[in-house]
Amino acid sequence: AGGRSYGSLILTGTSAHAFCGLEIPMSIFATHAAVAIANSQSSVNLTDAMRSREVIGRAKGILMMRFRISADEAFEMLRRESQSFNIKLREVSETLCTGGRLPSEE
């Protein structure tokens, strides 16, 4: 799907030549299966993105309250922490939300 492989499809028959003459329908089935798997993966990625966005938003709110700064300034603080410590922005945000501290404060 989309030029990417997501797995393999193995079909077994109960008799010799069980799939003779069905090559085109089987390839259509395989294509539909690949598209379904690709869509499922996209859904998982979207869910992860939504969770990341939520935790980053909470972390921004904590910083905004703590330092009385704007949302943009709070995001910039998170971004700097992320780059300084080579930690994903989501992980910096999770650390702040769960432990109450930025990596530079520990």
Side-chain angles (χ1 to χ4, degrees), residues 2-87:
R4 197 168 163 208
S5 295
Y6 288 94
S8 62
L9 178 64
I10 300 171
L11 301 172
T12 58
T14 57
S15 64
H17 309 292
F19 301 109
C20 287
L22 297 177
E23 289 81 9
I24 293 174
M26 289 301 156
S27 67
I28 291 171
F29 177 77
T31 300
H32 284 282
V35 169
I37 292 169
N39 287 340
S40 173
Q41 185 61 45
S42 294
S43 176
V44 168
N45 291 342
L46 183 57
T47 301
D48 287 346
M50 295 286 284
R51 286 187 187 134
S52 292
R53 182 174 180 253
E54 181 182 332
V55 74
I56 291 168
R58 285 196 317 257
K60 283 173 40 181
I62 291 169
L63 294 175
M64 290 167 65
M65 291 289 293
R66 183 186 294 177
F67 297 109
R68 300 191 189 284
I69 57 177
S70 71
D72 289 342
E73 291 169 319
F75 183 80
E76 183 60 25
M77 283 183 75
L78 292 171
R79 188 192 64 75
R80 277 196 310 267
E81 289 282 320
S82 172
Q83 288 185 339
S84 294
F85 290 89
N86 197 27
I87 303 171

